Amino acid sequence: MKYFFYIALIFSTLVSAQVDPVKQDSTDVHYLYIEGDSIGVTSVELDEVILLPNLKFEDRDARIRYIILRRKTLKVYPYAKLASQRLEALQNRLNTLERKRDKKRYAKVIQKYIEDEFSAELKKLTKTEGQILVKLIHRQTGRTTFELIKELRSGWRAFWFNSTAKLFNISLKKEFSPINEEEDYLIEDILQRAFQNLQIERQRPAFNIDFYACVNKWSKPKTKD
């Protein structure tokens, strides 16, 4: 019995020695250091990852239409992205100017710069490509091309009317709405796949787009009348 007592005592001592005490109300903070940055952070914000569904087409014609739409979308997207960046820079600069004369003068400088940068290429766009560009401008800025012209008519009015002279049938009031228009959903699908494949540089839309809600709506089998 005595030996059993000693064995039990030794066993309990060994077990208790292997269990670390639980720290209560610890104030220790663990920092993460990202390569190239000397400032530690407590968390890292990760980019949202969208799981894309497999592409399914009703027939060969639908597949061809998607391929053509993809080619046109990837062609004009860089213009929409750049236009968004130029608009932001223009507005930031105009906000620092107080006199109307200075604002008008600066707008003219931007007008010439944008026309030199965009005009030659935009005049080569087809009507369909021009309309896609108008939609993507809305995606990137949150405002229609018509609204932008109205707000910045001194710089953007001449740009848009000169560069799209042969595209008169394009609606400058067209919005980008993937949940309401199937073509816009396909454009968003094309962009998301291109972002993930690193074909184009990602730029978040100016407003929230529930991509999965769009997938659920437009991926449902169409019922025949």
Side-chain angles (χ1 to χ4, degrees):
M1 192 67 182
K2 182 186 297 184
Y3 291 110
F4 177 77
F5 173 76
Y6 285 124
I7 293 174
L9 179 63
I10 294 172
F11 181 78
S12 62
T13 303
L14 290 174
V15 170
S16 62
Q18 293 177 2
V19 178
D20 294 331
V22 178
K23 294 182 179 180
Q24 300 292 333
D25 299 329
S26 175
T27 58
D28 292 344
V29 179
H30 298 280
Y31 289 95
L32 303 173
Y33 291 88
I34 301 174
E35 185 177 356
D37 195 345
S38 59
I39 301 177
V41 294
T42 56
S43 63
V44 178
E45 184 177 350
L46 300 178
D47 292 335
E48 179 185 10
V49 177
I50 295 179
L51 300 178
L52 300 172
N54 295 327
L55 289 173
K56 295 180 180 179
F57 302 99
E58 293 182 354
D59 49 38
R60 182 173 179 273
D61 290 340
R63 175 184 289 274
I64 292 175
R65 286 195 298 271
Y66 180 88
I67 293 173
I68 293 174
L69 182 63
R70 179 174 60 192
R71 176 176 58 81
K72 293 178 180 294
T73 299
L74 297 182
K75 177 181 178 180
V76 303
Y77 174 78
Y79 299 119
K81 182 174 181 293
L82 194 56
S84 172
Q85 294 171 340
R86 294 289 183 267
L87 173 64
E88 183 179 1
L90 172 61
Q91 289 182 321
N92 290 339
R93 177 56 176 161
L94 289 177
N95 290 337
T96 64
L97 301 176
E98 296 182 358
R99 297 189 305 176
K100 291 184 178 180
R101 181 189 304 175
D102 294 336
K103 291 184 178 182
K104 187 175 181 179
R105 184 182 304 167
Y106 180 73
K108 285 184 177 180
V109 172
I110 292 297
Q111 173 188 336
K112 186 179 186 307
Y113 175 75
I114 291 177
E115 286 182 347
D116 292 343
E117 188 173 28
F118 285 103
S119 292
E121 293 299 323
L122 289 183
K123 289 177 181 178
K124 299 176 184 178
L125 298 183
T126 65
K127 176 184 174 181
T128 305
E129 291 168 348
Q131 191 66 79
I132 293 173
L133 176 59
V134 168
K135 290 182 178 182
L136 292 181
I137 288 288
H138 179 255
R139 181 189 188 272
Q140 301 310 126
T141 65
R143 282 167 287 177
T144 65
T145 304
F146 178 83
E147 291 170 338
L148 293 176
I149 293 172
K150 187 176 180 180
E151 293 176 18
L152 304 169
R153 61 190 315 139
S154 58
W156 282 71
R157 184 171 184 234
F159 163 61
W160 277 106
F161 281 96
N162 289 340
S163 300
T164 60
K166 66 177 182 178
L167 307 175
F168 291 115
N169 292 328
I170 289 178
S171 172
L172 300 182
K173 296 182 179 181
K174 196 70 174 176
E175 297 183 354
F176 184 71
S177 181
I179 195 65
N180 294 317
E181 293 194 24
E182 186 174 14
E183 181 181 86
D184 292 358
Y185 157 65
L186 294 176
I187 291 174
E188 185 65 25
D189 178 87
I190 290 167
L191 291 178
Q192 292 299 331
R193 294 180 191 279
F195 292 152
Q196 291 198 9
N197 295 333
L198 303 180
Q199 289 179 266
I200 55 177
E201 185 179 356
R202 181 184 296 275
Q203 187 180 41
R204 293 184 180 276
F207 50 89
N208 181 56
I209 296 176
D210 190 338
F211 183 73
Y212 291 121
C214 298
V215 172
N216 290 335
K217 177 178 180 178
W218 297 112
S219 296
K220 292 180 179 179
K222 296 181 180 179
T223 56
K224 296 182 179 181
D225 297 333

PDB file of all heavy atoms in Angstrom, residues 56-69 182 186 222:
ATOM      1  N   LYS A  56     -21.258  27.507 -68.005  1.00  0.00           N
ATOM      2  CA  LYS A  56     -22.162  26.602 -68.707  1.00  0.00           C
ATOM      3  C   LYS A  56     -22.960  27.409 -69.728  1.00  0.00           C
ATOM      4  O   LYS A  56     -23.486  28.474 -69.400  1.00  0.00           O
ATOM      5  CB  LYS A  56     -23.115  25.911 -67.720  1.00  0.00           C
ATOM      6  CG  LYS A  56     -22.413  24.985 -66.726  1.00  0.00           C
ATOM      7  CD  LYS A  56     -23.414  24.330 -65.790  1.00  0.00           C
ATOM      8  CE  LYS A  56     -22.710  23.417 -64.794  1.00  0.00           C
ATOM      9  NZ  LYS A  56     -23.673  22.777 -63.851  1.00  0.00           N
ATOM     10  N   PHE A  57     -23.044  26.904 -70.941  1.00  0.00           N
ATOM     11  CA  PHE A  57     -23.741  27.607 -72.011  1.00  0.00           C
ATOM     12  C   PHE A  57     -24.848  26.721 -72.560  1.00  0.00           C
ATOM     13  O   PHE A  57     -24.710  25.494 -72.631  1.00  0.00           O
ATOM     14  CB  PHE A  57     -22.771  27.990 -73.120  1.00  0.00           C
ATOM     15  CG  PHE A  57     -21.626  28.857 -72.653  1.00  0.00           C
ATOM     16  CD1 PHE A  57     -20.380  28.300 -72.377  1.00  0.00           C
ATOM     17  CD2 PHE A  57     -21.803  30.210 -72.467  1.00  0.00           C
ATOM     18  CE1 PHE A  57     -19.331  29.083 -71.937  1.00  0.00           C
ATOM     19  CE2 PHE A  57     -20.753  31.014 -72.023  1.00  0.00           C
ATOM     20  CZ  PHE A  57     -19.514  30.452 -71.762  1.00  0.00           C
ATOM     21  N   GLU A  58     -25.926  27.365 -72.952  1.00  0.00           N
ATOM     22  CA  GLU A  58     -27.067  26.627 -73.484  1.00  0.00           C
ATOM     23  C   GLU A  58     -26.723  25.946 -74.809  1.00  0.00           C
ATOM     24  O   GLU A  58     -27.173  24.849 -75.091  1.00  0.00           O
ATOM     25  CB  GLU A  58     -28.257  27.572 -73.679  1.00  0.00           C
ATOM     26  CG  GLU A  58     -28.830  28.101 -72.377  1.00  0.00           C
ATOM     27  CD  GLU A  58     -30.026  28.987 -72.625  1.00  0.00           C
ATOM     28  OE1 GLU A  58     -30.329  29.276 -73.804  1.00  0.00           O
ATOM     29  OE2 GLU A  58     -30.676  29.386 -71.650  1.00  0.00           O
ATOM     30  N   ASP A  59     -25.941  26.665 -75.623  1.00  0.00           N
ATOM     31  CA  ASP A  59     -25.593  26.122 -76.928  1.00  0.00           C
ATOM     32  C   ASP A  59     -24.310  26.784 -77.426  1.00  0.00           C
ATOM     33  O   ASP A  59     -23.715  27.618 -76.728  1.00  0.00           O
ATOM     34  CB  ASP A  59     -26.735  26.327 -77.940  1.00  0.00           C
ATOM     35  CG  ASP A  59     -27.245  27.763 -77.942  1.00  0.00           C
ATOM     36  OD1 ASP A  59     -26.419  28.691 -77.807  1.00  0.00           O
ATOM     37  OD2 ASP A  59     -28.467  27.957 -78.075  1.00  0.00           O
ATOM     38  N   ARG A  60     -23.913  26.426 -78.617  1.00  0.00           N
ATOM     39  CA  ARG A  60     -22.673  26.943 -79.201  1.00  0.00           C
ATOM     40  C   ARG A  60     -22.761  28.448 -79.436  1.00  0.00           C
ATOM     41  O   ARG A  60     -21.783  29.180 -79.227  1.00  0.00           O
ATOM     42  CB  ARG A  60     -22.385  26.218 -80.516  1.00  0.00           C
ATOM     43  CG  ARG A  60     -21.085  26.647 -81.189  1.00  0.00           C
ATOM     44  CD  ARG A  60     -20.797  25.764 -82.386  1.00  0.00           C
ATOM     45  NE  ARG A  60     -19.581  26.172 -83.067  1.00  0.00           N
ATOM     46  CZ  ARG A  60     -19.522  27.104 -84.024  1.00  0.00           C
ATOM     47  NH1 ARG A  60     -20.649  27.710 -84.415  1.00  0.00           N
ATOM     48  NH2 ARG A  60     -18.379  27.423 -84.588  1.00  0.00           N
ATOM     49  N   ASP A  61     -23.921  28.934 -79.841  1.00  0.00           N
ATOM     50  CA  ASP A  61     -24.087  30.372 -80.092  1.00  0.00           C
ATOM     51  C   ASP A  61     -23.892  31.181 -78.814  1.00  0.00           C
ATOM     52  O   ASP A  61     -23.294  32.272 -78.841  1.00  0.00           O
ATOM     53  CB  ASP A  61     -25.475  30.646 -80.676  1.00  0.00           C
ATOM     54  CG  ASP A  61     -25.612  30.127 -82.100  1.00  0.00           C
ATOM     55  OD1 ASP A  61     -24.564  29.916 -82.756  1.00  0.00           O
ATOM     56  OD2 ASP A  61     -26.751  29.927 -82.559  1.00  0.00           O
ATOM     57  N   ALA A  62     -24.402  30.664 -77.684  1.00  0.00           N
ATOM     58  CA  ALA A  62     -24.239  31.360 -76.410  1.00  0.00           C
ATOM     59  C   ALA A  62     -22.764  31.436 -76.012  1.00  0.00           C
ATOM     60  O   ALA A  62     -22.303  32.452 -75.489  1.00  0.00           O
ATOM     61  CB  ALA A  62     -25.048  30.654 -75.322  1.00  0.00           C
ATOM     62  N   ARG A  63     -22.028  30.357 -76.274  1.00  0.00           N
ATOM     63  CA  ARG A  63     -20.594  30.348 -75.972  1.00  0.00           C
ATOM     64  C   ARG A  63     -19.856  31.385 -76.828  1.00  0.00           C
ATOM     65  O   ARG A  63     -19.000  32.126 -76.325  1.00  0.00           O
ATOM     66  CB  ARG A  63     -20.008  28.959 -76.225  1.00  0.00           C
ATOM     67  CG  ARG A  63     -18.490  28.883 -76.039  1.00  0.00           C
ATOM     68  CD  ARG A  63     -17.976  27.507 -76.402  1.00  0.00           C
ATOM     69  NE  ARG A  63     -18.367  26.527 -75.412  1.00  0.00           N
ATOM     70  CZ  ARG A  63     -17.680  26.287 -74.299  1.00  0.00           C
ATOM     71  NH1 ARG A  63     -16.567  26.964 -74.042  1.00  0.00           N
ATOM     72  NH2 ARG A  63     -18.085  25.371 -73.454  1.00  0.00           N
ATOM     73  N   ILE A  64     -20.205  31.465 -78.104  1.00  0.00           N
ATOM     74  CA  ILE A  64     -19.555  32.417 -79.003  1.00  0.00           C
ATOM     75  C   ILE A  64     -19.854  33.856 -78.568  1.00  0.00           C
ATOM     76  O   ILE A  64     -18.965  34.718 -78.578  1.00  0.00           O
ATOM     77  CB  ILE A  64     -20.011  32.177 -80.458  1.00  0.00           C
ATOM     78  CG1 ILE A  64     -19.478  30.831 -80.955  1.00  0.00           C
ATOM     79  CG2 ILE A  64     -19.539  33.314 -81.366  1.00  0.00           C
ATOM     80  CD1 ILE A  64     -19.960  30.448 -82.335  1.00  0.00           C
ATOM     81  N   ARG A  65     -21.112  34.109 -78.178  1.00  0.00           N
ATOM     82  CA  ARG A  65     -21.474  35.458 -77.716  1.00  0.00           C
ATOM     83  C   ARG A  65     -20.673  35.840 -76.478  1.00  0.00           C
ATOM     84  O   ARG A  65     -20.247  36.991 -76.331  1.00  0.00           O
ATOM     85  CB  ARG A  65     -22.979  35.521 -77.420  1.00  0.00           C
ATOM     86  CG  ARG A  65     -23.845  35.546 -78.664  1.00  0.00           C
ATOM     87  CD  ARG A  65     -25.276  35.975 -78.326  1.00  0.00           C
ATOM     88  NE  ARG A  65     -25.919  35.039 -77.409  1.00  0.00           N
ATOM     89  CZ  ARG A  65     -26.608  33.982 -77.803  1.00  0.00           C
ATOM     90  NH1 ARG A  65     -26.750  33.718 -79.110  1.00  0.00           N
ATOM     91  NH2 ARG A  65     -27.184  33.180 -76.931  1.00  0.00           N
ATOM     92  N   TYR A  66     -20.461  34.877 -75.569  1.00  0.00           N
ATOM     93  CA  TYR A  66     -19.681  35.145 -74.358  1.00  0.00           C
ATOM     94  C   TYR A  66     -18.229  35.466 -74.727  1.00  0.00           C
ATOM     95  O   TYR A  66     -17.628  36.395 -74.163  1.00  0.00           O
ATOM     96  CB  TYR A  66     -19.735  33.945 -73.423  1.00  0.00           C
ATOM     97  CG  TYR A  66     -18.963  34.134 -72.134  1.00  0.00           C
ATOM     98  CD1 TYR A  66     -19.569  34.706 -71.011  1.00  0.00           C
ATOM     99  CD2 TYR A  66     -17.630  33.737 -72.030  1.00  0.00           C
ATOM    100  CE1 TYR A  66     -18.869  34.875 -69.831  1.00  0.00           C
ATOM    101  CE2 TYR A  66     -16.928  33.901 -70.860  1.00  0.00           C
ATOM    102  CZ  TYR A  66     -17.549  34.475 -69.757  1.00  0.00           C
ATOM    103  OH  TYR A  66     -16.840  34.650 -68.591  1.00  0.00           O
ATOM    104  N   ILE A  67     -17.668  34.713 -75.632  1.00  0.00           N
ATOM    105  CA  ILE A  67     -16.273  34.927 -76.045  1.00  0.00           C
ATOM    106  C   ILE A  67     -16.107  36.308 -76.680  1.00  0.00           C
ATOM    107  O   ILE A  67     -15.130  37.023 -76.407  1.00  0.00           O
ATOM    108  CB  ILE A  67     -15.828  33.824 -77.019  1.00  0.00           C
ATOM    109  CG1 ILE A  67     -15.762  32.475 -76.290  1.00  0.00           C
ATOM    110  CG2 ILE A  67     -14.475  34.159 -77.641  1.00  0.00           C
ATOM    111  CD1 ILE A  67     -15.489  31.297 -77.199  1.00  0.00           C
ATOM    112  N   ILE A  68     -17.061  36.701 -77.518  1.00  0.00           N
ATOM    113  CA  ILE A  68     -17.002  38.029 -78.145  1.00  0.00           C
ATOM    114  C   ILE A  68     -17.139  39.126 -77.091  1.00  0.00           C
ATOM    115  O   ILE A  68     -16.402  40.123 -77.110  1.00  0.00           O
ATOM    116  CB  ILE A  68     -18.113  38.162 -79.209  1.00  0.00           C
ATOM    117  CG1 ILE A  68     -17.843  37.208 -80.371  1.00  0.00           C
ATOM    118  CG2 ILE A  68     -18.203  39.604 -79.714  1.00  0.00           C
ATOM    119  CD1 ILE A  68     -18.943  37.165 -81.409  1.00  0.00           C
ATOM    120  N   LEU A  69     -18.072  38.934 -76.143  1.00  0.00           N
ATOM    121  CA  LEU A  69     -18.256  39.906 -75.072  1.00  0.00           C
ATOM    122  C   LEU A  69     -17.001  40.011 -74.213  1.00  0.00           C
ATOM    123  O   LEU A  69     -16.628  41.111 -73.786  1.00  0.00           O
ATOM    124  CB  LEU A  69     -19.459  39.505 -74.214  1.00  0.00           C
ATOM    125  CG  LEU A  69     -19.825  40.461 -73.071  1.00  0.00           C
ATOM    126  CD1 LEU A  69     -20.233  41.825 -73.613  1.00  0.00           C
ATOM    127  CD2 LEU A  69     -20.957  39.869 -72.222  1.00  0.00           C
ATOM    128  N   GLU A 182     -28.667  40.714 -67.784  1.00  0.00           N
ATOM    129  CA  GLU A 182     -27.830  39.529 -67.928  1.00  0.00           C
ATOM    130  C   GLU A 182     -26.488  39.858 -68.566  1.00  0.00           C
ATOM    131  O   GLU A 182     -25.459  39.301 -68.171  1.00  0.00           O
ATOM    132  CB  GLU A 182     -28.551  38.459 -68.744  1.00  0.00           C
ATOM    133  CG  GLU A 182     -27.782  37.139 -68.806  1.00  0.00           C
ATOM    134  CD  GLU A 182     -28.555  36.039 -69.501  1.00  0.00           C
ATOM    135  OE1 GLU A 182     -29.564  36.358 -70.166  1.00  0.00           O
ATOM    136  OE2 GLU A 182     -28.163  34.875 -69.374  1.00  0.00           O
ATOM    137  N   LEU A 186     -22.714  39.023 -67.132  1.00  0.00           N
ATOM    138  CA  LEU A 186     -21.658  38.346 -67.878  1.00  0.00           C
ATOM    139  C   LEU A 186     -20.392  39.197 -67.912  1.00  0.00           C
ATOM    140  O   LEU A 186     -19.271  38.673 -67.814  1.00  0.00           O
ATOM    141  CB  LEU A 186     -22.133  38.039 -69.298  1.00  0.00           C
ATOM    142  CG  LEU A 186     -23.271  37.021 -69.416  1.00  0.00           C
ATOM    143  CD1 LEU A 186     -23.708  36.882 -70.866  1.00  0.00           C
ATOM    144  CD2 LEU A 186     -22.856  35.666 -68.857  1.00  0.00           C
ATOM    145  N   LYS A 222     -33.505  28.344 -67.647  1.00  0.00           N
ATOM    146  CA  LYS A 222     -34.600  29.137 -68.188  1.00  0.00           C
ATOM    147  C   LYS A 222     -35.752  28.228 -68.586  1.00  0.00           C
ATOM    148  O   LYS A 222     -35.578  27.236 -69.265  1.00  0.00           O
ATOM    149  CB  LYS A 222     -34.112  29.932 -69.404  1.00  0.00           C
ATOM    150  CG  LYS A 222     -33.033  30.949 -69.047  1.00  0.00           C
ATOM    151  CD  LYS A 222     -32.598  31.726 -70.269  1.00  0.00           C
ATOM    152  CE  LYS A 222     -31.519  32.742 -69.914  1.00  0.00           C
ATOM    153  NZ  LYS A 222     -31.063  33.505 -71.094  1.00  0.00           N
TER     154      LYS A 222
END
